[in-house]
Amino acid sequence: MSFCRFPRFAAIRLLSLTLAFGLAGCTTGSEIRMGSHTLPAEKSAMSAEPEATLKFYFGGEKKAATDEVWTAVSDYVKTKGLDVKFSVQFIPWPEYSGKLLVMAAAGDRWDLNFDTESSFRQMASRGSYLRLNDLLPIYAPHLYERYRQQHSLLSATIGGDVVGLPWTIKMNQRPYAGWRADLAEKAGIYRSPESVQTVEDVDRLLHDLKKAYPNHKLSRIPSLSLYLVRDEWVDLGFYGLGFYLNDPKYEVRAIEDQPFYADAAFMSRTWYKDGILNPDSKIDYEDGADQWRNGKMLFTLTSHEWAYAADPGFADTSFRQQMSLLYPDKKTVNRSSISNVAAINRNSEHPELVLQFLDLLETDERLFDLVIYGIQGKTYELDGGKVVYPDNLKFSTSNYMDWGGQWVFWKPQFLRPTETYPEDFWKEEARFAELPVNVDSPVEGLLLNDQPISDLLEERDQIYEDFGKSIEFGMEPDVAQALSAYREKQRKNSLDTIISEVQRQVDQFLASQHRDPS
């Protein structure tokens, strides 16, 4: 799973690193059976059609064996009647969402891409993704059934149009504080298990670590994400707007006007002055997961997933981590089903073939193994039923495994234990998400449309870039003055109009949330 650090004001990032669906459609006319799949004859008689190339985009760095693996994927799906090959491209995470927006606006042609919640909202609201209501039940009936069972298509629906393909994993990413236990203990810094629970606890720990290791980079994470959990704030993933979870009216508010925002600003200023928050944090878009695994940071915020993974992927086996759940008594919303989402470009020339491929992936374990793990003996080995790295490879040096964006393809029915995730790990993740303090968002499935107020939102975003970021990263010497000026600039940009429009959409969604959009 990934929380990649994209620039702009589209969402508040709670975490800074990745450690690091009955059938509604039926076919008509003659049909051809392909394994467990029934496809329209005119679309499945691939031998009579030229081979198609499906172009996919994912985030991160391209692994060395990627092209070889996807050639094998092509060879395999051809045996199932799907005559396609794949062009799999990667865009580095810091540039990913921005490049997708530019490419879509320019009318570029590709077939499928990975997306994450905030970026997906932007792309979908701009009409960048293909409407799938009619195609999905016909060309991916098994996947469509999964979505219906999980009631997750609503989250990928805007204006009645299904425009995305959510993942099918259930998780919660309430933050854990994590620090290098090996270095802390070496310096005589000890914390009992689960004792670091509040902002104040984190502050004391960070200052202890800084005193012991004054020349080390400590953290690049501002304090704001901790206060969001403390005050049970629900981020809408939409230009710094949200509401309090305990507010029965779900009143939309601007984050910069909330008392906790000021608390966070003053704390981050302290961290900046004391050398705890790295001076380059504001402009550092290197993958936070890589920095943590490679020992460049002594502190991180992460999730239950990486707090309890069997192997966090450290570059050095001597590195050890200690984790503590923050604000364990506070309610936090579960991850959205569009936290990881696939989408078909509106200009795709082969949407039916993409959906047929995704349907095969839903039902065919051999294909799943190929796509996720690669080629046995080349990119992975099997130790019993466990997937392990081949000799001399590990998480940080893998030639294919752990490739970025694969999460949207994860299928709980096929996931194998790995060196990173032990047996039944994903069942435990689902169990954790079902704890009473972990709740589904009351607006899960809401896709906000920014078009009615796009100019105002663009200006709001720019004001954040010019003034808000520096406040959040502790770079403003006079916090009170900077915060007052920032709030005034946002108010003058018709903030009332922005909030009124978003509130209208929230209220409209809540009034109709029991409808089945599919």
Side-chain angles (χ1 to χ4, degrees):
M1 259 52 49
S2 173
F3 255 12
C4 307
R5 187 171 173 190
F6 298 126
R8 312 302 289 173
F9 193 19
I12 300 297
R13 301 286 176 195
L14 283 182
L15 308 178
S16 74
L17 72 149
T18 310
L19 274 168
F21 301 135
L23 299 182
C26 57
T27 56
T28 58
S30 60
E31 296 176 329
I32 294 176
R33 297 288 299 176
M34 298 200 313
S36 61
H37 294 253
T38 304
L39 302 174
E42 68 272 21
K43 291 296 181 184
S44 59
M46 298 299 173
S47 59
E49 299 178 1
E51 179 185 55
T53 298
L54 302 184
K55 188 173 185 178
F56 293 175
Y57 278 103
F58 300 99
E61 301 298 329
K62 190 171 185 176
K63 302 276 189 174
T66 298
D67 289 339
E68 183 178 355
V69 169
W70 282 85
T71 295
V73 172
S74 174
D75 291 341
Y76 182 77
V77 298
K78 285 176 181 176
T79 70
K80 300 296 181 179
L82 196 59
D83 193 12
V84 297
K85 60 182 179 181
F86 301 88
S87 173
V88 179
Q89 307 296 324
F90 287 79
I91 300 171
W93 285 124
E95 308 167 22
Y96 189 74
S97 62
K99 277 202 171 182
L100 280 183
L101 286 164
V102 171
M103 289 162 52
D108 286 10
R109 294 183 181 274
W110 70 88
D111 295 291
L112 175 142
N113 63 267
F114 167 85
D115 214 339
T116 192
E117 186 171 2
S118 59
S119 174
F120 174 75
R121 294 176 191 274
Q122 289 183 292
M123 293 281 284
S125 69
R126 286 161 171 74
S128 302
Y129 292 141
L130 188 68
R131 181 182 187 274
L132 301 175
N133 300 54
D134 301 324
L135 297 175
L136 181 58
I138 296 176
Y139 295 101
H142 302 87
L143 180 60
Y144 184 64
E145 173 66 11
R146 174 79 66 178
Y147 289 144
R148 284 180 59 84
Q149 291 171 359
Q150 295 188 345
H151 308 288
S152 54
L153 277 180
L154 186 63
S155 65
T157 301
I158 185 167
D161 294 339
V162 177
V163 290
L165 301 158
W167 69 336
T168 59
I169 299 286
K170 189 172 182 66
M171 298 182 68
N172 185 286
Q173 284 200 307
R174 60 186 309 131
Y176 282 73
W179 61 96
R180 284 280 302 280
D182 55 306
L183 292 179
E185 292 168 8
K186 183 179 179 180
I189 301 169
Y190 296 93
R191 295 294 189 272
S192 57
E194 302 298 338
S195 64
V196 178
Q197 297 186 352
T198 68
V199 176
E200 292 77 18
D201 294 337
V202 169
D203 180 55
R204 285 189 289 269
L205 173 64
L206 288 171
H207 277 91
D208 286 349
L209 289 170
K210 185 62 181 180
K211 183 176 180 180
Y213 298 99
N215 298 319
H216 277 62
K217 286 188 175 182
L218 194 58
S219 174
R220 72 176 198 184
I221 306 170
S223 66
L224 180 57
S225 55
L226 286 72
Y227 290 90
L228 303 186
V229 180
R230 186 196 71 177
D231 286 16
E232 297 183 339
W233 175 261
V234 179
D235 172 35
L236 284 170
F238 193 81
Y239 298 90
L241 303 178
F243 57 84
Y244 292 101
L245 192 56
N246 61 4
D247 178 3
K249 295 182 178 180
Y250 307 125
E251 181 182 346
V252 175
R253 307 165 191 257
I255 192 170
E256 70 272 8
D257 287 334
Q258 307 315 304
F260 67 76
Y261 191 87
D263 292 344
F266 281 102
M267 180 63 79
S268 288
R269 177 57 186 169
T270 297
W271 290 358
Y272 185 88
K273 288 192 301 181
D274 294 348
I276 288 168
L277 200 56
N278 295 339
D280 61 352
S281 295
K282 180 184 172 184
I283 59 172
D284 182 3
Y285 293 119
E286 183 182 348
D287 189 344
D290 289 342
Q291 291 185 340
W292 171 249
R293 294 189 184 107
N294 293 330
K296 294 181 178 181
M297 299 291 166
L298 304 190
F299 175 85
T300 190
L301 290 183
T302 189
S303 65
H304 182 269
E305 175 188 358
W306 288 103
Y308 288 96
D311 180 1
F314 283 132
D316 189 319
T317 56
S318 70
F319 295 175
R320 287 188 298 109
Q321 67 183 24
Q322 185 173 340
M323 296 282 168
S324 185
L325 180 61
L326 297 170
Y327 294 102
D329 298 328
K330 297 291 187 176
K331 289 184 178 181
T332 305
V333 296
N334 288 318
R335 292 195 77 183
S336 169
S337 55
I338 57 169
S339 294
N340 293 294
V341 58
I344 297 178
N345 180 272
R346 68 185 176 200
N347 295 319
S348 170
E349 297 178 351
H350 311 291
E352 300 93 341
L353 301 182
V354 175
L355 290 170
Q356 289 171 25
F357 166 74
L358 295 176
D359 208 45
L360 276 171
L361 194 63
E362 179 68 24
T363 59
D364 192 316
E365 186 172 14
R366 172 65 184 132
L367 177 59
F368 180 85
D369 284 347
L370 264 174
V371 169
I372 301 302
Y373 308 118
I375 300 169
Q376 189 172 354
K378 169 88 175 176
T379 67
Y380 78 99
E381 300 281 4
L382 282 179
D383 181 5
K386 178 181 178 180
V387 174
V388 299
Y389 299 107
D391 290 342
N392 302 318
L393 294 178
K394 55 185 177 180
F395 192 102
S396 59
T397 59
S398 166
N399 58 4
Y400 182 75
M401 283 176 62
D402 308 300
W403 56 277
Q406 63 170 278
W407 318 295
V408 72
F409 292 153
W410 279 2
K411 309 295 178 182
Q413 66 270 31
F414 295 144
L415 280 165
R416 298 178 181 271
T418 67
E419 295 178 70
T420 303
Y421 304 118
E423 187 83 31
D424 293 332
F425 182 87
W426 297 108
K427 292 181 181 179
E428 173 60 20
E429 283 295 298
R431 184 203 66 79
F432 181 74
E434 291 166 359
L435 292 176
V437 293
N438 297 328
V439 299
D440 290 335
S441 171
V443 293
E444 170 63 22
L446 170 65
L447 275 176
L448 291 163
N449 183 359
D450 65 0
Q451 293 306 299
I453 48 174
S454 58
D455 291 343
L456 296 178
L457 291 173
E458 184 177 352
E459 181 62 22
R460 176 170 171 79
D461 195 24
Q462 192 60 54
I463 294 170
Y464 169 73
E465 287 291 318
D466 293 342
F467 302 98
K469 255 189 177 180
S470 296
I471 294 171
E472 291 179 15
F473 281 87
M475 300 174 70
E476 292 294 337
D478 189 335
V479 176
Q481 191 279 330
L483 184 56
S484 177
Y486 176 53
R487 286 170 167 170
E488 183 63 21
K489 289 179 184 295
Q490 292 289 18
R491 289 193 195 103
K492 287 183 176 179
N493 183 46
S494 300
L495 179 59
D496 288 347
T497 301
I498 294 173
I499 289 177
S500 178
E501 172 58 26
V502 175
Q503 187 74 63
R504 182 191 67 78
Q505 293 187 43
V506 168
D507 292 344
Q508 185 179 58
F509 171 82
L510 290 170
S512 62
Q513 63 179 321
H514 299 297
R515 296 184 306 181
D516 183 351
S518 58

